Amino acid sequence: MKMEFDYKELGLKVGLEIHRQLATKKLFSPVPSELHEDVSFTFERRLRPTMSELGEIDQAALEEFKKGRVFVYEGNYKYSDLVYMDEEPPHLPDEDALKVAIQITYLLNAIPVDEVHFMRKIVIDGSNVSGFQRTAIVGMNGRIDTPWGSVGIPTICLEEDACRIIEQGDKRAVYRLDRLGIPLIEIATTPDIHHPEQAKVVAKFIGDALRATRKVKRGLGTIRQDLNVSIKGGARIEIKGVQELDMIPIIIEREVQRQINLLKIRDELQKRGANKEEIKEEFYDVSDVFKNTGSKIIAKALKKGGKVIAVKLPKFRGLIGFEVQPGRRLGTEMADRAKKYVKGIFHIDELPNYGISQEEVNKIIETLGLEEQDAFVLVAAKEEAAKKALKEVLKRAREAIIGVPEETRRALPDGNTQYMRPLPGKARMYPETDIPPIFIGEEIKREILENLPEYPQAKVGRYVKEYGIDKSLAQTLVDDERDELFEELIGMGVKPSLAASTLVVVLKGLKKEVPIENISDKHIKDAFKLLLENKIAKEAFEEIFKELALHPEKTALQVAEEKGLTLLSEEEVEKIIEEIVKENLNVVKAKGMGAMGMLMGRAMAKLRGKADGKLVNQLVRKKIQEFSS
């Protein structure tokens, strides 16, 4: 259900960060930027945070370090050399990647820098072997105009992508090196977006500009969109991993809803007189309460030598179960924090439940000495893990008294979000000493500026005007990045309307039946070549493409011959139509040309894909005239 908010009154501010892989070689080494499944070596690393040039430690990096994980890296020598094992200094940045970044800068009305200086950004979650990511500002001060107002683009950066996660565990994670080092363009906007739909418009414009270069990768995982969202009285929340354009407004609405509800919780806590000092690290062993419990989860934990540990949350009763997003409560946010140590938590607002009885709840209330408004949270696990988990719960409870904590969250498929880590700060940046500054001369800038690609919307308008195709067809061609193939087909002599309708209508119509991503541009061009050579009819396309999607190793000609879709001669077609007319002679004599529709249906049922529809129409008309006279 769509929510309605007065975003101006709420003071909504949204900023976008869009990351897109470039289709060049890797950024600091001349190896292919392709994913693979062949592993020829592995090695292990442990990572730790380092101080920034100001002598500070980033809190997000510190939290990752506390997990104490070991990282295993898988690689293949063809796709990952010593640079990406962190055993050799980086080479100079790929020239093509740098030029594409400058091209994107101009497309976003920004100004390219005169010198490119790379920095190191501390990342110790295992996604970078070295413990940092290299990034550099390439363009600044861009602008996008929208119906809601202008949105600034303060920075356009070129950086290296991270490793690909293969296996994630509490104490061990496995990463593949193939993605590490793929050039990544990062575009950040100012927080001048004040409506969820405006964010979608801005993301679409940036996406169009990136696609216009023809130098960005396509497919799942090649683009990542992050949102920074805040409202008046709330906090800046970074939301990672927004994949779909249409989900952007929904995710923003859900975050607004979350912050509004967290502020309601804060106000109620303050009204009750709650304060942070009352939330103490006092752990109560309540294992005896559950000696004969009906809770399978708790019984299993106790059998394995665990304990049931509880903490007291003064003034929190009824608020831990308060819904902050659809299906998610303050208790869910506490559980998200605890999950690095335990699988889940129990709290008073959801009990009795999960096999925990009212009698057991009453005993815990008595043991902890809870008053009417007080709450408890308990965990069943090994004592050390339980206490660590409950420390996270206590920390989240203290934050609830203040309001909305700044943090990084991940986007969930339904539009909700989930805690990932504290919001990273500036303490994670320090200079890159292995790469010298790269000078960008005026001659290079002028050459790029004079050869900028056509903006997608300009291309849509040109297709409508120049080729006479429907605007929606033209828009879909551009959005689906089929426009280049469309122009190639026209260059082969294909009619624009047929090329457009085949690429948009026919192929998209097969999406639910077969994996159309297996149909290559070459398959499509070869099928049209057969049409131009009068070897097949356009009606054969659907069946040919279906087979090619299932068996991409075949050619269009092979499929046409195997399926009997090659065109019959005009004489053969005429003979079949004459037989159909003779079979329905009574109707022809009675209705004359009125039998046209019925006869065309029967003729096409036999001849679809084997004869051109226009020829069938002409011959049916001719035979009706012959036999009805």
Side-chain angles (χ1 to χ4, degrees), residues 606-629:
K606 278 193 174 184
L607 295 167
R608 190 174 301 280
K610 299 178 182 179
D612 182 72
K614 191 180 286 186
L615 175 63
V616 174
N617 186 288
Q618 290 172 355
L619 291 174
V620 169
R621 193 175 294 275
K622 175 185 171 184
K623 291 300 172 184
I624 289 174
Q625 288 171 347
E626 283 182 13
F627 285 91
S628 60
S629 57

Side-chain angles (χ1 to χ4, degrees), residues 456 459-464 469-479 483 500 504:
K459 186 174 284 188
V460 170
R462 178 169 65 83
Y463 283 0
V464 173
I469 64 173
D470 183 78
K471 186 177 180 181
S472 63
L473 278 179
Q475 187 69 59
T476 306
L477 283 170
V478 173
D479 288 347
D483 44 321
V504 174

Side-chain angles (χ1 to χ4, degrees), residues 242-521:
V242 183
Q243 287 289 335
E244 297 177 32
L245 198 65
D246 289 340
M247 287 300 294
I248 289 176
I250 297 169
I251 290 167
I252 293 171
E253 287 171 357
R254 294 283 180 91
E255 178 56 30
V256 169
Q257 181 185 23
R258 191 182 78 91
Q259 294 200 28
I260 288 171
N261 288 325
L262 288 176
L263 292 175
K264 286 179 182 177
I265 292 172
R266 176 203 66 184
D267 293 345
E268 178 60 27
L269 284 167
Q270 291 178 359
K271 183 180 173 183
R272 295 179 182 185
N275 63 74
K276 292 192 296 180
E277 287 69 31
E278 286 185 311
I279 301 175
K280 299 173 182 177
E281 286 189 9
E282 294 178 350
F283 303 105
Y284 297 81
D285 184 344
V286 293
S287 303
D288 287 347
V289 174
F290 296 96
K291 279 181 180 177
N292 301 306
T293 188
S295 170
K296 292 180 181 178
I297 298 170
I298 292 178
K300 187 177 179 182
L302 291 173
K303 191 175 180 181
K304 288 184 175 180
K307 292 185 176 182
V308 184
I309 309 294
V311 290
K312 178 179 176 180
L313 294 181
K315 313 291 194 303
F316 269 81
R317 192 176 300 193
L319 297 177
I320 303 176
F322 192 96
E323 190 171 76
V324 293
Q325 286 181 323
R328 291 179 62 83
R329 294 161 176 76
L330 177 59
T332 317
E333 300 218 344
M334 291 175 171
D336 288 343
R337 298 287 186 93
K339 273 180 183 172
K340 61 166 104 33
Y341 303 112
V342 297
K343 288 184 178 179
I345 66 172
F346 298 98
H347 61 80
I348 192 170
D349 290 350
E350 63 181 355
L351 301 176
N353 206 343
Y354 312 111
I356 297 174
S357 68
Q358 184 62 57
E359 184 183 353
E360 289 166 334
V361 172
N362 293 339
K363 285 182 181 178
I364 296 170
I365 291 172
E366 184 182 342
T367 303
L368 273 60
L370 300 187
E371 295 182 7
E372 187 179 350
Q373 290 186 328
D374 296 343
F376 68 75
V377 174
L378 60 86
V379 169
K382 296 287 186 182
E383 186 172 3
E384 184 182 356
K387 287 181 177 179
K388 284 181 177 179
L390 288 170
K391 282 181 182 180
E392 294 294 328
V393 170
L394 294 169
K395 181 181 177 184
R396 182 66 188 85
R398 294 186 193 104
E399 292 169 348
I401 295 172
I402 300 169
V404 184
E406 286 191 340
E407 58 193 26
T408 299
R409 301 177 67 82
R410 69 168 57 84
L412 299 175
D414 62 358
N416 286 337
T417 56
Q418 184 180 50
Y419 174 81
M420 288 179 69
R421 57 179 177 263
L423 197 65
K426 295 178 181 177
R428 63 177 181 158
M429 298 289 287
Y430 61 101
E432 167 59 70
T433 54
D434 288 333
I435 302 169
I438 313 296
F439 177 69
I440 309 297
E442 291 303 317
E443 189 177 335
I444 294 172
K445 290 180 185 177
R446 186 167 55 251
E447 180 190 344
I448 293 171
L449 187 58
E450 288 173 356
N451 292 282
L452 286 181
E454 189 176 18
Y455 278 93
Q457 287 310 308
K459 186 174 284 188
V460 170
R462 178 169 65 83
Y463 283 0
V464 173
K465 186 177 179 181
E466 191 174 325
Y467 300 124
I469 64 173
D470 183 78
K471 186 177 180 181
S472 63
L473 278 179
Q475 187 69 59
T476 306
L477 283 170
V478 173
D479 288 347
D480 291 354
E481 298 183 38
R482 291 285 196 179
D483 44 321
E484 195 171 273
L485 177 58
F486 170 70
E487 294 193 25
E488 285 183 43
L489 293 175
I490 291 170
M492 289 167 56
V494 179
K495 289 181 179 179
S497 58
L498 178 60
S501 61
T502 303
L503 294 177
V504 174
V505 181
V506 176
L507 286 172
K508 277 203 164 187
L510 299 176
K511 197 171 184 179
K512 290 182 180 179
E513 299 181 51
V514 292
I516 63 169
E517 62 274 10
N518 290 341
I519 304 170
S520 68
D521 288 0

